[in-house]
Amino acid sequence: MRSITPQDAAIIEVAGGVDTHSDTHTAAVIDQVGRVLGTEQFPADTAGYAALLDWMRSFGQLVGVGVEGTGAYGAGLARLLHRQEVLVIEVDRPDRKTRRFQGKSDPIDAVQAAKTALAGERTGVPEQRDGRIEALRNLRVARRSAVDQRADAQRRIKTLIVTAPDDLRERLRSLGVKDLIITCANLRPDRTGAASPATAVKIALRSLARRHQQLTAEIADLDELLEPLVAAINPGLVAANGVGTDVAGQLLVTTGDNHDRLRSEAAFAMLCGAAPIPASSGKTNRHRLNRGGDRQANKALYRVVICRLRWDPRTRAYMERRTKDGMSKKEIIRCLKRYVARELYQLITTPNDLELAA
C-alpha cells in the first residue's frame, strides 16, 4: 500500500471499486495506471457508506467508482454516491478465466471492479433507484408474485380435479375458470371426515379456490395504484398501439429513472434482448439470436407485436410481405420486435408534459 500525502491527494486522480455483500462492502482504490493504493472493509449501512466514500477520497480526486450489484446489495451505496455526485459505474463480476488465474477474495474482486471501471470494460451506468420508477418497480414485484401464485393455485385445482372422485370430477371438469373458482370456494365439506380422500379433496379445492380469490383481489388493488402511476410517468407510452399499463410499466422499469444512460435506440434494443448479435467469420456474414438482455422486457415487446399482428393493418401487411420473401413467422416477429423497440425508445426518452411542468 502506498503512502499518500495531503499534497498528493490534492492532485492524484483515483478510481474505486466495491465488492458488495449483505453485511459488508469491501472497497479498493487504484491510481490511473492501475496500482493498488489500498483496500478496506466497511459495514453495509448508512454510516459505512459515508466512511467508505471518505476513505476513497482520502487517496485523491475520485473520478469514478465501480460497484458490483447496484441493483441488489450495492443499491444503498449507489444511492449515496449518486447524491454525492460521484460517477457510479456498474461492473459485472469477473469472468471465470480471470478468477481462475487471480483467485477469489473480496479484496481481489474489489480491485478488479476498480480496474474494470477504469478501463471501461463491461460497464454500464446503473439505474437510479430514488424516483417514481423505483416505486413502480416495487409495486410490480408484488403484482407479479400475486399473478404467479394465482396461476399456481389454478393449476393445482385442475390437477386435483383429475384424480377426484367420479361424481365431483364430472361436476367440475366442464366449468370455466371463473365458475370453477366460485364453485370450489363454496364447497361445504365435513371437516370431521378429513381422513377420507373424498372429503379431503373438497377441503383442498376450497382452500385453493379461496386463495385464488384473495390473490385476485390483491392484483386488482395493485392495479388501482399502478394504472395512474404509469400514466403519470409516461402517458404517451401507455397510449401507444398495443402497449397498455402492464407493458409500459415493465419497459419503464427496465430503462429506469435515468433513461439517458441509454445512448441510443440500439442500446435500448440490446437491453431488451431484441438486437441480433453479430456472428460473422471470414466470408460468412450473419447474425444470431440474442438470448441476453432483460427477458421480461423482451416478453413485453413480444406482447406488443402479437397485439399489433392481430389489430394493426401496417403490421399485418408487413407480415404478409415478409412471408412472401420466404421468412418464417418467428423471424418476422424478431424483426418486428426490433422495430417496436425503436418506436418505443423514442416515447420513453421524450419528456412528457408533466415532466416539463415539474
Side-chain angles (χ1 to χ4, degrees):
M1 181 183 299
R2 292 184 58 198
S3 176
I4 303 297
T5 67
Q7 293 79 9
D8 291 337
I11 59 175
I12 293 177
E13 290 187 347
V14 298
V18 184
D19 182 39
T20 61
H21 295 279
S22 59
D23 298 321
T24 61
H25 291 349
T26 300
V29 176
I30 63 174
D31 61 17
Q32 290 296 298
V33 295
R35 291 173 297 190
V36 180
L37 303 180
T39 61
E40 190 66 53
Q41 189 177 83
F42 299 89
D45 54 28
T46 303
Y49 302 152
L52 184 152
L53 178 57
D54 291 340
W55 177 79
M56 284 187 172
R57 283 176 167 169
S58 69
F59 289 93
Q61 183 180 351
L62 191 60
V63 296
V65 179
V67 181
E68 288 188 27
T70 58
Y73 294 139
L77 175 61
R79 280 194 291 266
L80 179 135
L81 294 175
H82 176 68
R83 288 196 298 267
Q84 295 295 323
E85 298 183 350
V86 176
L87 175 63
V88 181
I89 303 170
E90 184 173 12
V91 299
D92 298 332
R93 64 180 182 178
D95 56 31
R96 292 180 180 178
K97 181 178 180 180
T98 301
R99 289 192 169 185
R100 187 163 57 247
F101 284 107
Q102 294 185 352
K104 172 72 175 74
S105 71
D106 292 346
I108 290 175
D109 288 349
V111 170
Q112 187 60 39
K115 290 182 177 180
T116 302
L118 183 64
E121 298 176 354
R122 304 192 313 275
T123 61
V125 178
E127 296 181 24
Q128 294 178 7
R129 297 184 177 273
D130 52 3
R132 291 182 298 176
I133 292 182
E134 177 64 8
L136 172 63
R137 185 186 70 84
N138 294 329
L139 293 174
R140 283 184 55 80
V141 168
R143 186 186 187 280
R144 183 178 177 185
S145 174
V147 170
D148 290 343
Q149 292 179 40
R150 184 178 65 174
D152 181 68
Q154 183 174 313
R155 285 192 297 267
R156 294 181 186 277
I157 288 173
K158 293 187 176 182
T159 300
L160 287 175
I161 291 174
V162 172
T163 57
D166 292 342
D167 57 341
L168 182 62
R169 184 174 70 251
E170 291 301 323
R171 175 186 172 190
L172 299 177
R173 65 189 303 180
S174 61
L175 296 177
V177 173
K178 183 177 180 180
D179 292 336
L180 175 64
I181 298 300
I182 294 175
T183 302
C184 291
N186 291 329
L187 291 173
R188 295 291 183 270
D190 182 6
R191 296 178 62 87
T192 61
S196 167
T199 303
V201 71
K202 291 182 180 179
I203 295 174
L205 288 171
R206 183 180 65 175
S207 175
L208 289 168
R210 291 181 176 180
R211 185 184 307 168
H212 188 287
Q213 291 177 330
Q214 180 180 0
L215 290 168
T216 299
E218 288 183 16
I219 294 169
D221 290 341
L222 290 168
D223 284 339
E224 290 182 359
L225 299 173
L226 285 166
E227 290 178 5
L229 178 58
V230 175
I233 294 173
N234 197 317
L237 181 63
V238 179
N241 188 358
V243 178
T245 299
D246 190 48
V247 170
Q250 177 59 58
L251 295 177
L252 289 171
V253 169
T254 298
T255 54
D257 277 294
N258 52 332
H259 54 67
D260 55 335
R261 69 195 181 96
L262 301 175
R263 301 181 301 275
S264 65
E265 54 89 14
F268 174 69
M270 184 65 73
L271 178 63
C272 296
I277 303 297
S280 302
S281 179
K283 295 182 179 180
T284 302
N285 185 9
R286 70 181 186 91
H287 290 75
R288 67 172 176 84
L289 179 64
N290 185 353
R291 298 189 182 277
D294 187 330
R295 303 316 299 173
Q296 292 300 315
N298 189 279
K299 179 181 177 181
L301 295 178
Y302 177 84
R303 290 170 60 187
V304 175
V305 170
I306 296 302
C307 181
R308 292 186 179 185
L309 282 174
R310 177 173 295 182
W311 304 109
D312 183 41
R314 293 188 307 165
T315 307
R316 294 173 64 89
Y318 178 86
M319 167 71 82
E320 295 174 0
R321 186 172 69 254
R322 299 313 295 268
T323 300
K324 292 179 181 178
D325 294 338
M327 294 181 65
S328 67
K329 184 176 181 179
K330 286 185 177 180
E331 292 172 332
I332 296 171
I333 289 176
R334 290 168 191 161
C335 293
L336 286 169
K337 284 197 294 186
R338 181 64 180 85
Y339 293 141
V340 169
R342 179 179 302 161
E343 174 189 336
L344 298 186
Y345 170 80
Q346 300 299 328
L347 294 174
I348 291 172
T349 57
T350 300
N352 59 66
D353 294 339
L354 295 178
E355 289 178 340
L356 293 175

